[in-house]
Amino acid sequence: MANITAADVNKLRQATGAGMMDCKAALIEAEGDFDKAIEVLRKKGQKVAAKRADRDSKEGAAIAQVNANHTVGAIISLNCETDFVAKNADFVALAKDLADLALTVNSKDELLALNYKGITVAEKLLEQTGVIGEKIELGAFEKVEAPFVGSYIHHGNKIAAIVGLSAAIADATEVGKNLAMQIAAMGAETLSYKDFSPEYIAKETEARIAIIEKENEELHRLGKPLKHVPQYVSQAQLTPEVLAKAEADAKAELKAEGKPEQIWDKILPGKMQRFISDNTTLDQEKALLDQVYIYDESKKVSDFVKSKNVEITAFKRVAL
């Protein structure tokens, strides 16, 4: 029987992250052969992975990284089963290492095939499955390349975002971080309302109106004020004809209220802005440029970006 020293066990532990007892058992089984001991731990990971294949791995760490010259950004999520593991310092450190590696490839499969301390990333995840005893897998993989890329990771590593800017402006670091924080906080799914298909807008219009009408039934039953039911949900629906009718309706309303015609010009802009706001809820929720800017609610994100003489070229968001 090979003589297994504390130094041998510690060396294997440093290499794999496995517990002291697991490392000692692996070395004993491998008769002191270091490489065979690593293989023992990896096979243990395969057995654990097979047993837990049908488990949900909805917890984990979402990590955004940007290269040194801020031209490439990547997000990965390293997924596990429990929040306890997700908060483990070694688990988060591994996620950060993988995010660094993600900067050098273009797909999840390429990342899994990369070398990580002598083994592939895929093999490392199997190894860690055995070490931790939970299903460990690479979840999301997102990447952005641009003249400048900003990033943000929300506290707790549950949400990460990256955003590409069209130029490396003087305050690009702050602008990029603020926009990435906007993306993380507000959950935009596309850049502009112009990206929505007519079919998607029609489906959302029907669904959103149905929800409000259902809520109004309950409010009516309770004798409470009813919510306004919009006709539209996107700027894409607000054609010149629609806006002209809205303005005519607003003027008719002012006339019915007995407001002097000479002051209508002061009142109409506010009414039209309210009409547009009430009828573009889809844009405000899902389209980044059409959202209210979280650092100045008097502006949309498009206004902020324009004030910086820069454009958003792309963005990605990952949430666990």
Side-chain angles (χ1 to χ4, degrees), residues 182 186 284 290-294 296-297 299-301:
Q182 169 92 28
M186 302 306 292
Q284 294 167 41
D290 302 298
Q291 290 181 339
V292 172
Y293 183 47
I294 58 176
D296 183 350
E297 294 186 357
K299 296 179 179 180
K300 294 199 298 185
V301 172

Side-chain angles (χ1 to χ4, degrees), residues 121-133:
V121 169
E123 289 171 335
K124 180 65 179 178
L125 298 186
L126 268 180
E127 178 188 281
Q128 289 303 294
T129 294
V131 168
I132 295 170

Side-chain angles (χ1 to χ4, degrees), residues 150-161:
S151 67
Y152 173 74
I153 304 173
H154 189 62
H155 180 70
N157 302 317
K158 296 303 182 185
I159 306 174

Side-chain angles (χ1 to χ4, degrees), residues 166-278:
S166 60
I169 55 177
D171 55 348
T173 299
E174 181 182 1
V175 171
K177 181 181 178 181
N178 288 353
L179 288 172
M181 191 177 293
Q182 169 92 28
I183 294 160
M186 302 306 292
E189 295 179 359
T190 191
L191 187 58
S192 166
Y193 74 87
K194 297 175 183 178
D195 300 327
F196 297 138
S197 70
E199 294 78 14
Y200 176 68
I201 293 173
K203 182 179 178 181
E204 282 292 317
T205 302
E206 182 179 351
R208 287 165 185 259
I209 289 175
I211 289 171
I212 296 174
E213 288 178 340
K214 185 68 175 178
E215 290 174 347
N216 279 346
E217 290 178 10
E218 180 65 11
L219 292 172
H220 177 72
R221 188 184 68 81
L222 297 172
K224 295 183 178 181
L226 303 184
K227 293 183 178 181
H228 171 72
V229 181
Q231 294 175 270
Y232 311 103
V233 299
S234 175
Q235 184 76 37
Q237 297 167 303
L238 303 186
T239 63
E241 293 78 16
V242 169
L243 292 173
K245 184 179 183 303
E247 184 173 340
D249 290 345
K251 288 179 179 178
E253 184 180 319
L254 291 173
K255 185 176 181 179
E257 292 172 354
K259 294 287 194 301
E261 193 168 340
Q262 59 267 31
I263 68 168
W264 287 6
D265 288 346
K266 295 181 180 179
I267 303 174
L268 276 172
K271 282 187 170 291
M272 291 303 296
Q273 188 57 46
R274 177 60 184 272
F275 174 82
I276 292 171
S277 179
D278 287 346

